[in-house]
Amino acid sequence: MSSTSARVRDTPAGAPAPVRPARSSRRTGRRAAGRAGQYLALLCYVVFLAFPLLWLLSTAFKSPQELGSVDPTWLPRHPTLGNFRTAIDEQPLLRSALNSLLVSAVTAVISVAVAVPAAYVMVRFRSMVSRLGTGWVLVSQMFPFVLVIIPLFLVLKNLHLVDSLPGLVIVYVVWNLPFALWMLQGYVKAVPMSLEEAASIDGCGRLRTLRSVVLPLLMPGLVATLMFSFVTAWNEFFFALVLLKSPEKQTMSVVLTHFLGAEGAADLGPLAAASVLATVPSLLFFAFLQKRLVSGAMTGAVKG
């Protein structure tokens, strides 16, 4: 007699069958626990990133008495705008912000304009030269600033571009271009070759295919590269400090170093206020472009 029939026979008539724990419920519990752990880790990461900005905002609105207190507080007891007025009166923040905005915007546009065709050629026309170029792109990112600043300064001096915003733009473009190429190569590889072949069958040349088919599909990558180039140029400090000497040409990152009190101590209130003002343009730029990162990613395929 089989074991199944024995179990059926041993069960009293009319008694309910034994309830076995469902595996699906255990799986659901594990998935919920894993999802809760992910959300908890994400929350900790967001708090870790947001804490410096929140502390900066709190410091910017504190009075000098609160900043000098031996018992610091998380929030200002008596918020004041005096630090912002002092920062604007002491340093040319508006002029330096315009310089940074001009340099960053031009750098971002030129970097993307040069990186798009270069990345397309490096991906679509694979050869020893393109592989060596990709390797050089990655190796060049390991060079420290100090290693290149002296020859770079001599080259710009011979070109009469020292202490000039165009010279700084050229430096930023050259420095941002390798990473921009590396970013865009991944987006170009994601574009199906079948779309370009279909456009070629329809009579489109290489340039028209690049303009009408590839570029619309690369829009999220273009926006991401544009944002990276802009923020990198906006926050850069070392090149601007060495190459720009005239006060009227200095960028925001250099002007922030001027908030020094007696014996080299930082004037925390105005410095925090100026730092808050320095973050506003990059945040606005990011907010303006972030919607285009993922929207319409495949619209070019329809148009093609």
Side-chain angles (χ1 to χ4, degrees):
M1 185 180 295
S2 65
S3 60
T4 304
S5 59
R7 285 195 300 269
V8 173
R9 186 183 60 188
D10 294 339
T11 304
V19 179
R20 298 178 179 179
R23 295 183 178 180
S24 59
S25 61
R26 291 198 297 267
R27 292 175 182 172
T28 303
R30 287 195 295 266
R31 291 175 183 174
R35 191 176 298 109
Q38 293 176 355
Y39 287 146
L40 180 61
L42 180 61
L43 178 62
C44 294
Y45 184 66
V46 170
V47 172
F48 173 76
L49 292 180
F51 176 76
L53 181 59
L54 295 178
W55 186 258
L56 182 68
L57 287 171
S58 176
T59 305
F61 288 98
K62 288 182 178 180
S63 62
Q65 292 76 17
E66 289 187 72
L67 292 174
S69 175
V70 295
D71 184 18
T73 57
W74 289 98
L75 299 176
R77 297 189 181 94
H78 305 286
T80 177
L81 295 177
N83 293 323
F84 291 90
R85 289 192 293 267
T86 302
I88 295 174
D89 294 338
E90 288 184 356
Q91 300 296 334
L93 293 180
L94 180 58
R95 183 173 59 197
S96 62
L98 292 177
N99 292 337
S100 295
L101 182 62
L102 177 62
V103 170
S104 302
V106 175
T107 298
V109 172
I110 295 178
S111 298
V112 172
V114 175
V116 168
Y120 181 81
V121 170
M122 295 175 69
V123 172
R124 290 293 187 250
F125 302 95
R126 301 295 297 175
S127 64
M128 181 61 68
V129 176
S130 63
R131 286 193 289 269
L132 290 176
T134 303
W136 175 251
V137 165
L138 298 177
V139 171
S140 64
Q141 295 299 298
M142 304 178 185
F143 293 161
F145 290 173
V146 180
L147 183 65
V148 300
I149 189 59
I150 295 178
L152 184 62
F153 183 86
L154 295 177
V155 170
L156 292 178
K157 182 179 180 181
N158 293 330
L159 296 176
H160 304 286
L161 291 176
V162 175
D163 196 21
S164 67
L165 296 183
L168 189 63
V169 168
I170 294 175
V171 173
Y172 285 171
V173 169
V174 173
W175 198 257
N176 286 335
L177 196 56
F179 194 80
L181 282 170
W182 182 77
M183 286 184 63
L184 286 175
Q185 283 187 53
Y187 288 96
V188 174
K189 290 179 182 178
V191 177
M193 278 293 298
S194 58
L195 295 178
E196 298 184 39
E197 294 172 354
S200 177
I201 293 175
D202 291 339
C204 294
R206 180 70 64 178
L207 292 178
R208 185 177 179 185
T209 300
L210 179 63
R211 183 180 67 252
S212 302
V213 178
V214 178
L215 281 182
L217 297 177
L218 291 180
M219 190 57 62
L222 297 180
V223 174
T225 307
L226 196 70
M227 292 170 55
F228 165 80
S229 301
F230 181 90
V231 173
T232 302
W234 180 271
N235 295 330
E236 202 283 323
F237 168 74
F238 186 71
F239 288 137
L241 177 65
V242 175
L243 299 177
L244 299 178
K245 298 302 180 183
S246 301
E248 66 274 5
K249 297 179 182 179
Q250 290 179 340
T251 58
M252 178 72 82
S253 59
V254 178
V255 172
L256 290 179
T257 62
H258 297 170
F259 290 95
L260 298 177
E263 299 179 357
D267 196 358
L268 290 180
L271 176 60
S275 300
V276 171
L277 295 177
T279 60
V280 171
S282 57
L283 291 177
L284 293 177
F285 185 79
F286 177 81
F288 177 73
L289 292 181
Q290 61 90 19
K291 293 182 180 180
R292 293 169 174 80
L293 279 174
V294 294
S295 63
M298 295 302 294
T299 54
V302 179
K303 294 179 180 179

